[in-house]
Amino acid sequence: MAEHGGCCPPMDLFRSEPMHLVQVIIPIESARLTVSYLGDIGLIQFKDLNAEKSPFQRTYAGQIKRCAELARKLRFFKDQMSKADVKPSAKSDAKAEFNLDELEVKLGELEAELTEINGNSEKLQRSYNELVEYKLVLQKAGEFFKEAQSRAAAQQTEVSSQQAAEESLETPLLKDQESTADQGKQVKLGFLTGLVPKGRSMAFERILFRATRGNVFLRQSSVDEAVIDPNSGEKVEKNVFVVFFSGERAKSKILKICEAFGANRYPFAEDLGKQAQMITEVSGRISELKTTIDAGLLHRANLLETIGNQYEQWSELVRKEKSIYHTLNMLSIDVTKKCLVAEGWSPIFATQQIQDALQQATVDSKSQVGAIFQVLHTKELPPTYFRTNKFTESFQTIVDAYGVAKYQEANPGVYTVVTFPFLFAVMFGDWGHGICILLATLFLIFREKKYSSQKLGDIMEMTFGGRYVILLMALFSIYTGLIYNEFFSVPFELFSPSAYACRDAACSEATTIGLIKARDTYPFGVDPAWHGSRSELPFLNSLKMKMSILLGVAQMNLGIILSFFNALYFRNPVNVWFQFIPQMIFLNGLFGYLSLLIIVKWCTGSQADLYHVMIYMFLSPTDDLGENQLFPNQKTVQLVLLLLSLIAVPWMLLPKPFILKAQHNRTHQGQSYTPLEGTEDSLQVEAGHDAHGHGEFEFSEVFVHQLIHTIEFVLGAVSNTASYLRLWALSLAHSELSTVFYEKVLLLAWGYNNIIILIVGIIVFIFATVGVLLVMETLSAFLHALRLHWVEFQNKFYEGDGYKFAPFSFALLSDEDE
Amino acid sequence: MYGFEAMTFNIHGGYLEAIVRGHRSGLLTAADYNNLCQCETLDDIKMHLTATEYGPYLQNEPSPLHTTTIVEKCTLKLVDEYKHMLCQATEPLSTFLEYITYGHMIDNVVLIVTGTLHERDVQELLEKCHPLGMFDSIATLAVAQNMRELYRLVLVDTPLAPYFSECITSEDLDDMNIEIMRNTLYKAYLEDFYRFCQKLGGATAEIMSDLLAFEADRRAVNITINSIGTELTRDDRRKLYSSFGLLYPYGHEELAVCEDIDQVRGVMEKYPPYQSIFSKLSYGESQMLDKAFYEEEVKRLCLSFEQQFHYGVFFAYMRLKEQEIRNLMWISECVAQNQKSRVHDSVVFIF
């Protein structure tokens, strides 16, 4: 079908690639390699022949589990690498070939090594953190004790001095005894020291108080910087506490509470000398541990480095293997367990490639038997596959967003390449704005290589994806902008001076009435003299409105003609005679005629009122046209057209359902004589589409369907034509908006003769132009162009109920991952 | 919020209701359960679950898997979702969400207290606690010797404090009065929750009172069945019934005097909604009662999603998810212990 080279360019896009259902019988020993080669080609879409089996009941579930396990290990490495700030090198230089078994062993070893190192360093880290905490406790608690002692000493002296002072007066006899008793008790006081997280210190204190009924003395002091908790390994702000208590019961309670609050306790000697000794001891051990930990970390970093070198390669391999086994799981296994049967769709042009790959796989896997490749016949609808390039892809996406084309139906994507940017530009006609957009999109196109390899944001991604659409949109809007003669709403005398000149000096107020034609007609586009004149709007409105109708009628005719080609391609004469022809007559009898009138009026310069003509063509077709007559015999022509249009409606509605019924009856009668279906058919999967051919013929349903179609077309002819008037409306809105920004912001600011106001004015103008005109107006014009294509154009012929070709391909694999 | 929820609900509750409905569509379906029930090993279960919403939580678990890991990870997902919703919630929804966890809090308190009574390790007990019912000083519970201390030391800081007013005694803790404490707390909690929902009004009150009434009735039946043959007096038993629900008050009078399971059945069959539950059971059987109640509960919870603009969906979702985790635990236990014939005994399909 698709002949490349020669005289004609490839016509791939007009209809989707011809596909066929192929069956490949692969000996089991070469299955993996075969699927792998087919994945490299990426032109075959495997059908799931085991849909009724759950994932773990399938043949290769074990392998998939292995791959998942490998992927988990790789994720573990990645996690470790990102924690240790090791970046996987983009592409490794040593391209070592691995197979899955080797990789499994290797990854297993590496994982074991890494977990061991982690475990060791965790243990070391833990004791290190404990020592750090211990040191803190020693320091802080030492401070408490020192403080307490000095205070106690001070108190003692105070008490003694008081005693000395009060001795002369009545001194209680028991006082001495009491204080000695106090000292005796003090000896029994136990204490605990440790660290408690700062956030929970209040609750800790409260619970301690409650649990011991207040018979407790707690001192806390906050540690300045956060400490790493030995148990959780997280940084926490902590308080050092010392708690004094009396009695064993209280001790056990306090111990339990400490445990509950995650407070780490450390032994503490009251003796100052011992404290100092312990501090030096602990510091020594800390520095010792530090060197050990550093050595461990270095070792770990080295290991991760080696992993990082090959990480990408491994993960790609695992991804590939997993996808291969997923595909193999979709194949049905033969009863003898000797071979696998694959079924799938592939484009016809790829047949040779696939067969080569199969042979290659047979050779490479040293298999005794080759794979068998055969084409199956089926009534199932094949998937739709367009071979797009980076330019046509985005246009095809616009069409696919509405619905994927039915297999081999006419593809509106081809026409969209031109009509979409053109209709956009009709609404966005300003060559200044066009140049701005052109520059932006050229920037994207020149940096294409860079951007396509990296991840972009959501909106950026969308803009980048549609860069060629935007390029054409910009070029077309420069073109229409030149026709409208608007550059940021300012007209320029680009091609020649204006054709009009003032009759005399009195016509300072620019109205067209004071102007006379002085030169030849302005050669291209709208004469600049129209701009800013009082009759600018009536003139441009009339022009754009009529132009919109012409464009609309042309595009709708194209749609109907495409339905003719569809009918021709699918050998459906009913659709030609009872759909295409009456539709053409109806649309052109009314709105084609209107278009003709518009052209005649433009050419002859007649002043006929077209509204009047059209309305009275329906209301009183026999009346005389009077001054609205544009050409001789117009009345007769109108009568004929009106009658033809009236006939076209029942023509569309009635015959088709009856003919379909008759056809169905005929085939049904014939069927009783046909022999049983061939054995070949048993291989085919029964498709939903078959129901259409063999199922019951519901006449009422078909009739209602046809009725809806007819009504939709007849009403649609009017409403769709009216819908194209949005071209005029948006174009008007665009030019008016840009005029407002130019006149009310830029010119107003200019008028003040003040540099600051001017700068502010320019800034406001730039922001308004970019924000409102370049971004929002572009979006709205884009959406309206989209609507005109999806609704007004495509509903004439496009079914859009196909499904997309989704081949098994390694190239697509990396895109969908992550 | 007084009957005009449709006008104002979405201002504060709309986002979260959308979230919770999204979560609901992530619940496992009957097809998922069918597949899970066919699994041969825990790895198969993992493989199947990684294809569901649980994927991110399970995919990084190394392969020899235990039932506890599966349950733990699934619970973790529930907790994450709950915390996310709680963070986003405003009053009164945040209070409502907090109410949902109080039940777990009571269970955790009871678990720790019973555990320490039997000299278990506190850390070990803490691991068994439901993460939704954790509060700051929960580990301190081990210190307490009697109810009064329990209250004074720890629970006074928790939301459970008001529920404790009826069970402050100086008696030492033993299994019996811990169980009574649990039920008293639960009674007070349900009544409080019920009052709170009534205060919210509108569809929330309507739906939640139905759901809570069912919960209260189920507890009443369970208390009755469990206390048959114990030294609990009739009056004490009656005290443990919540003062609302379909059985209140006449059903409670009758339940209080029941002596065996068939009498309970006789009482319950007078109430049409429960008739269907008991009609599934044969006489004298109480084993399947739990499952029958769970099935009925799941049915009611699912129905609450049919109505919009109320908080019942949050309650329903949490309950359904817990049921799902129970199902998963049962299935994985059956698979792990090669008891696949019993796999359907306790699984309640949600959809």
Side-chain angles (χ1 to χ4, degrees):
Chain A
M1 273 297 265
E3 288 162 33
H4 292 269
C7 66
C8 320
M11 293 285 167
D12 293 343
L13 278 182
F14 279 103
R15 296 190 187 279
S16 67
E17 286 296 329
M19 311 285 274
H20 53 189
L21 185 66
V22 298
Q23 188 184 42
V24 187
I25 301 171
I26 316 167
I28 207 151
E29 63 269 21
S30 63
R32 201 195 67 84
L33 207 62
T34 310
V35 171
S36 159
Y37 284 166
L38 289 178
D40 284 331
I41 297 177
L43 280 174
I44 187 161
Q45 175 184 354
F46 289 100
K47 272 164 79 174
D48 193 352
L49 301 178
N50 299 323
E52 77 286 356
K53 282 192 191 165
S54 60
F56 49 86
Q57 287 172 330
R58 300 186 177 201
T59 328
Y60 288 93
Q63 262 81 352
I64 286 184
K65 257 187 255 171
R66 268 171 68 194
C67 290
E69 180 69 17
L70 288 179
R72 184 194 64 75
K73 279 175 186 157
L74 286 172
R75 275 197 300 274
F76 170 69
F77 291 149
K78 190 168 191 186
D79 186 46
Q80 292 290 323
M81 281 193 284
S82 69
K83 263 187 198 161
D85 244 359
V86 178
K87 289 219 168 55
S89 60
K91 278 283 171 248
S92 74
D93 27 65
K95 194 105 172 117
E97 275 297 320
F98 280 104
N99 66 31
L100 207 57
D101 301 317
E102 283 165 24
L103 190 66
E104 198 168 21
V105 174
K106 176 123 192 163
L107 290 190
E109 277 169 9
L110 283 174
E111 195 198 12
E113 196 176 345
L114 200 57
T115 33
E116 199 191 331
I117 292 176
N118 281 350
N120 284 341
S121 72
E122 203 172 288
K123 250 187 252 162
L124 289 174
Q125 200 75 41
R126 191 185 166 118
S127 40
Y128 175 75
N129 289 334
E130 268 172 9
L131 283 174
V132 170
E133 284 200 340
Y134 192 15
K135 194 175 167 191
L136 279 171
V137 168
L138 284 173
Q139 282 165 352
K140 293 277 177 186
E143 276 167 33
F144 290 150
F145 276 86
K146 236 180 261 171
E147 212 175 287
Q149 258 167 4
S150 60
R151 205 183 300 154
Q155 226 162 20
Q156 203 91 48
T157 51
E158 203 176 307
V159 168
S160 56
S161 68
Q162 256 182 4
Q163 272 179 348
E166 287 171 11
E167 210 147 22
S168 57
L169 298 168
E170 298 167 71
T171 326
L173 288 168
L174 281 172
K175 174 120 191 185
D176 260 355
Q177 275 176 6
E178 250 178 35
S179 59
T180 48
D182 262 353
Q183 268 164 0
K185 257 185 195 166
Q186 231 168 21
V187 180
K188 274 187 212 159
L189 277 183
F191 66 89
L192 287 167
T193 51
L195 285 139
V196 68
K198 203 175 238 170
R200 305 171 78 178
S201 64
M202 285 303 286
F204 180 62
E205 189 167 352
R206 205 161 51 224
I207 298 275
L208 275 180
F209 187 84
R210 280 194 211 131
T212 56
R213 294 162 197 268
N215 293 322
V216 68
F217 179 70
L218 180 78
R219 284 295 302 270
Q220 298 199 39
S221 142
S222 64
V223 178
D224 299 326
E225 68 253 32
V227 206
I228 299 171
D229 188 65
N231 294 321
S232 63
E234 279 165 29
K235 276 206 164 179
V236 195
E237 299 233 316
K238 287 198 168 185
N239 277 355
V240 172
F241 67 86
V242 184
V243 55
F244 295 92
F245 55 86
S246 66
E248 274 308 306
R249 270 192 67 155
K251 183 174 181 179
S252 71
K253 269 186 188 170
I254 290 170
L255 282 179
K256 270 185 185 167
I257 291 170
C258 283
E259 210 172 297
F261 275 86
N264 304 317
R265 285 169 288 104
Y266 296 96
F268 184 76
E270 222 170 323
D271 186 27
L272 274 177
K274 254 189 190 166
Q275 279 176 29
Q277 190 193 337
M278 283 176 86
I279 286 182
T280 48
E281 200 177 302
V282 167
S283 313
R285 280 186 60 196
I286 284 178
S287 58
E288 223 170 84
L289 268 176
K290 184 89 191 146
T291 48
T292 330
I293 288 172
D294 282 347
L297 281 181
L298 195 68
H299 182 53
R300 180 159 171 265
N302 281 338
L303 184 69
L304 285 176
E305 199 82 45
T306 47
I307 292 173
N309 279 338
Q310 285 179 307
Y311 174 79
E312 287 293 332
Q313 211 181 330
W314 288 341
S315 73
E316 198 189 326
L317 180 77
V318 169
R319 262 210 307 268
K320 267 191 186 178
E321 290 293 328
K322 196 171 174 189
S323 69
I324 289 174
Y325 287 119
H326 262 301
T327 311
L328 283 173
N329 267 343
M330 298 206 285
L331 313 187
S332 75
I333 192 154
D334 193 75
V335 233
T336 54
K337 303 230 170 189
K338 290 258 172 58
C339 52
L340 289 167
V341 181
E343 274 179 34
W345 295 105
S346 82
I348 287 175
F349 72 84
T351 312
Q352 191 55 43
Q353 255 176 302
I354 290 171
Q355 276 172 336
D356 288 347
L358 292 179
Q359 246 160 24
Q360 189 65 34
T362 318
V363 173
D364 287 357
S365 62
K366 298 188 185 67
S367 166
Q368 305 284 323
V369 215
I372 300 164
F373 176 91
Q374 64 189 36
V375 177
L376 298 179
H377 297 283
T378 176
K379 286 195 179 115
E380 205 183 333
L381 203 68
T384 309
Y385 174 47
F386 292 110
R387 274 197 282 176
T388 53
N389 52 28
K390 67 182 174 184
F391 178 75
T392 48
E393 191 192 357
S394 45
F395 292 98
Q396 192 63 48
T397 317
I398 290 176
V399 173
D400 286 351
Y402 174 80
V404 176
K406 200 168 82 179
Y407 177 63
Q408 298 237 302
E409 81 171 317
N411 177 19
V414 185
Y415 313 98
T416 306
V417 174
V418 174
T419 54
F420 185 82
F422 178 64
L423 288 191
F424 169 85
V426 170
M427 293 179 265
F428 197 79
D430 189 314
W431 56 280
H433 296 150
I435 287 173
C436 292
I437 295 181
L438 181 69
L439 291 178
T441 184
L442 281 180
F443 173 78
L444 284 180
I445 289 172
F446 283 128
R447 316 198 72 183
E448 191 175 69
K449 281 229 171 71
K450 185 165 170 256
Y451 281 144
S452 53
S453 60
Q454 75 191 56
K455 252 195 137 36
L456 303 161
D458 240 3
I459 292 174
M460 191 64 187
E461 184 101 46
M462 216 147 47
T463 326
F464 181 69
R467 60 196 181 279
Y468 289 106
V469 182
I470 301 175
L471 174 76
L472 280 199
M473 276 161 31
L475 290 177
F476 274 100
S477 42
I478 292 173
Y479 168 69
T480 49
L482 287 173
I483 288 183
Y484 294 162
N485 205 344
E486 293 205 34
F487 176 85
F488 296 105
S489 83
V490 184
F492 277 87
E493 301 190 332
L494 275 183
F495 300 99
S496 78
S498 169
Y500 298 94
C502 269
R503 193 179 342 192
D504 48 39
C507 69
S508 56
E509 176 123 358
T511 57
T512 41
I513 295 169
L515 296 174
I516 50 162
K517 197 167 175 194
R519 277 171 288 271
D520 283 344
T521 315
Y522 194 71
F524 185 80
V526 176
D527 193 305
W530 286 103
H531 196 88
S533 66
R534 207 176 275 169
S535 52
E536 178 197 5
L537 272 188
F539 170 69
L540 285 179
N541 281 351
S542 152
L543 170 74
K544 288 178 177 174
M545 216 188 302
K546 285 169 183 155
M547 196 178 66
S548 304
I549 289 177
L550 288 184
L551 291 175
V553 171
Q555 200 182 20
M556 286 191 291
N557 269 316
L558 174 65
I560 299 176
I561 290 169
L562 285 177
S563 83
F564 167 70
F565 282 109
N566 266 344
L568 215 58
Y569 189 86
F570 293 116
R571 308 242 163 74
N572 195 345
V574 178
N575 275 0
V576 176
W577 293 110
F578 303 103
Q579 198 151 310
F580 165 68
I581 291 178
Q583 282 186 354
M584 280 305 269
I585 290 174
F586 187 81
L587 183 70
N588 290 316
L590 301 179
F591 296 100
Y593 173 62
L594 175 62
S595 309
L596 182 79
L597 288 184
I598 289 170
I599 293 170
V600 169
K601 188 179 167 182
W602 276 347
C603 294
T604 57
S606 145
Q607 296 214 333
D609 184 358
L610 294 186
Y611 295 119
H612 194 273
V613 175
M614 283 310 284
I615 290 170
Y616 282 91
M617 176 175 165
F618 293 101
L619 292 184
S620 50
T622 48
D623 276 10
D624 228 17
L625 284 159
E627 59 179 6
N628 287 326
Q629 181 151 354
L630 280 156
F631 54 87
N633 291 332
Q634 191 178 357
K635 202 175 80 179
T636 334
V637 172
Q638 282 189 6
L639 265 175
V640 172
L641 286 176
L642 193 64
L643 279 177
L644 276 176
S645 308
L646 283 180
I647 294 166
V649 177
W651 190 355
M652 266 183 266
L653 173 65
L654 294 174
K656 195 181 161 188
F658 290 103
I659 291 172
L660 284 181
K661 186 175 164 66
Q663 268 179 356
H664 179 260
N665 284 345
R666 212 176 318 136
T667 51
H668 227 62
Q669 274 176 350
Q671 223 171 37
S672 54
Y673 296 107
T674 53
L676 286 170
E677 286 182 355
T679 43
E680 219 174 330
D681 285 26
S682 57
L683 283 168
Q684 294 162 14
V685 184
E686 67 282 11
H689 302 280
D690 285 7
H692 194 72
H694 296 290
E696 276 301 298
F697 186 83
E698 285 266 358
F699 180 75
S700 59
E701 203 172 288
V702 173
F703 191 80
V704 168
H705 192 72
Q706 188 65 23
L707 187 69
I708 291 171
H709 256 294
T710 310
I711 292 174
E712 194 189 313
F713 182 83
V714 171
L715 294 183
V718 182
S719 68
N720 290 352
T721 312
S723 186
Y724 276 95
L725 289 177
R726 72 184 68 231
L727 293 175
W728 154 57
L730 264 100
S731 156
L732 175 70
H734 184 85
S735 75
E736 287 303 304
L737 265 178
S738 54
T739 313
V740 166
F741 288 138
Y742 176 71
E743 276 176 9
K744 297 293 167 202
V745 178
L746 202 61
L747 288 190
L748 202 69
W750 191 272
Y752 277 102
N753 262 335
N754 182 330
I755 189 81
I756 300 170
I757 295 181
L758 184 63
I759 290 173
V760 171
I762 288 176
I763 291 174
V764 172
F765 175 71
I766 289 175
F767 274 96
T769 304
V770 171
V772 178
L773 293 175
L774 290 183
V775 177
M776 297 214 316
E777 273 282 296
T778 312
L779 269 180
S780 83
F782 185 93
L783 287 178
H784 282 284
L786 203 61
R787 184 221 141 94
L788 286 178
H789 277 83
W790 282 354
V791 181
E792 274 76 25
F793 175 48
Q794 292 184 4
N795 77 356
K796 301 285 181 294
F797 67 99
Y798 191 57
E799 304 260 355
D801 57 354
Y803 62 103
K804 230 178 176 161
F805 180 55
F808 167 64
S809 156
F810 292 143
L812 298 174
L813 203 63
S814 50
D815 295 350
E816 66 196 39
D817 216 55
E818 282 166 71
Chain B
M1 287 292 296
Y2 293 98
F4 291 100
E5 302 98 338
M7 279 169 71
T8 54
F9 184 88
N10 280 349
I11 299 172
H12 294 295
Y15 171 66
L16 281 176
E17 192 183 353
I19 291 267
V20 84
R21 281 176 190 275
H23 284 323
R24 187 202 82 126
S25 37
L27 289 172
L28 301 179
T29 58
D32 286 319
Y33 283 118
N34 279 334
N35 278 335
L36 283 171
C37 290
Q38 288 169 11
C39 288
E40 295 291 338
T41 63
L42 287 183
D43 276 342
D44 287 344
I45 291 183
K46 177 188 157 192
M47 189 165 135
H48 191 88
L49 285 181
T50 42
T52 65
E53 297 281 306
Y54 290 112
Y57 287 85
L58 278 171
Q59 66 177 3
N60 282 340
E61 287 308 308
S63 214
L65 213 58
H66 295 289
T67 318
T68 44
T69 333
I70 294 180
V71 173
E72 198 180 296
K73 291 293 165 188
C74 296
T75 316
L76 183 67
K77 178 165 186 285
L78 171 64
V79 174
D80 283 351
E81 285 166 0
Y82 173 78
K83 281 188 179 151
H84 176 75
M85 291 195 285
L86 190 62
C87 282
Q88 302 284 337
T90 51
E91 283 297 330
L93 178 55
S94 52
T95 314
F96 182 89
L97 286 175
E98 276 163 10
Y99 264 106
I100 297 176
T101 61
Y102 294 167
H104 293 293
M105 251 182 225
I106 295 171
D107 287 340
N108 284 352
V109 167
V110 172
L111 179 77
I112 300 254
V113 173
T114 341
T116 32
L117 206 63
H118 295 276
E119 319 245 306
R120 294 279 185 76
D121 182 35
V122 183
Q123 284 305 321
E124 193 185 311
L125 289 171
L126 281 179
E127 274 164 26
K128 279 188 193 159
C129 284
H130 198 285
L132 277 183
M134 289 301 231
F135 48 91
D136 239 5
S137 42
I138 188 161
T140 330
L141 287 171
V143 182
Q145 296 295 326
N146 57 32
M147 302 274 194
R148 192 180 291 279
E149 259 185 33
L150 204 63
Y151 176 69
R152 210 170 49 80
L153 274 183
V154 191
L155 294 178
V156 69
D157 288 336
T158 65
L160 299 184
Y163 308 148
F164 232 81
S165 52
E166 276 191 41
C167 44
I168 299 179
T169 55
S170 299
E171 277 176 61
D172 269 2
L173 293 166
D174 60 41
D175 282 341
M176 178 79 170
N177 58 28
I178 288 175
E179 203 50 41
I180 291 175
M181 174 183 90
R182 180 214 292 272
N183 284 313
T184 327
L185 284 178
Y186 230 102
K187 171 194 167 174
Y189 156 61
L190 282 180
E191 283 169 1
D192 189 30
F193 198 5
Y194 185 78
R195 270 197 303 277
F196 176 72
C197 293
Q198 292 301 320
K199 209 174 74 200
L200 288 179
T204 308
E206 188 188 317
I207 284 163
M208 283 308 292
S209 62
D210 182 45
L211 293 176
L212 288 174
F214 179 76
E215 179 75 16
D217 292 345
R218 183 173 68 176
R219 293 199 75 83
V221 173
N222 279 339
I223 289 168
T224 314
I225 292 175
N226 289 337
S227 63
I228 288 171
T230 60
E231 57 206 36
L232 199 70
T233 62
R234 287 175 182 178
D235 279 346
D236 284 343
R237 194 195 279 178
R238 192 180 307 145
K239 264 192 216 155
L240 298 178
Y241 299 151
S242 309
S243 60
F244 64 98
L246 205 58
L247 299 176
Y248 176 78
Y250 304 112
H252 287 169
E253 298 292 334
E254 291 184 58
L255 277 181
V257 297
C258 284
E259 295 289 337
D260 60 44
I261 175 99
D262 285 337
Q263 284 180 16
V264 175
R265 186 190 178 104
V267 175
M268 296 303 284
E269 280 184 341
K270 289 178 194 159
Y271 294 88
Y274 301 116
Q275 207 173 12
S276 61
I277 294 178
F278 277 87
S279 64
K280 286 182 202 156
L281 308 175
S282 51
Y283 277 90
E285 186 188 27
S286 63
Q287 310 278 298
M288 295 300 281
L289 186 62
D290 271 344
K291 193 188 176 192
F293 267 123
Y294 277 138
E295 273 171 358
E296 177 68 17
E297 190 193 7
V298 162
K299 210 167 77 190
R300 285 167 185 240
L301 292 172
C302 286
L303 280 180
S304 74
F305 279 93
E306 301 296 313
Q307 207 167 333
Q308 223 187 329
F309 308 130
H310 65 94
Y311 292 155
V313 284
F314 296 96
F315 179 78
Y317 173 69
M318 299 296 284
R319 282 301 171 94
L320 286 175
K321 197 81 182 173
E322 282 161 23
Q323 180 61 42
E324 182 175 293
I325 292 170
R326 272 196 295 272
N327 288 344
L328 284 176
M329 179 154 73
W330 179 260
I331 294 174
S332 347
E333 280 296 346
C334 286
V335 169
Q337 296 174 12
N338 266 328
Q339 297 272 324
K340 279 188 63 185
S341 50
R342 297 188 53 205
V343 86
H344 284 280
D345 284 2
S346 163
V347 173
V348 181
F349 290 168
I350 293 177
F351 296 113

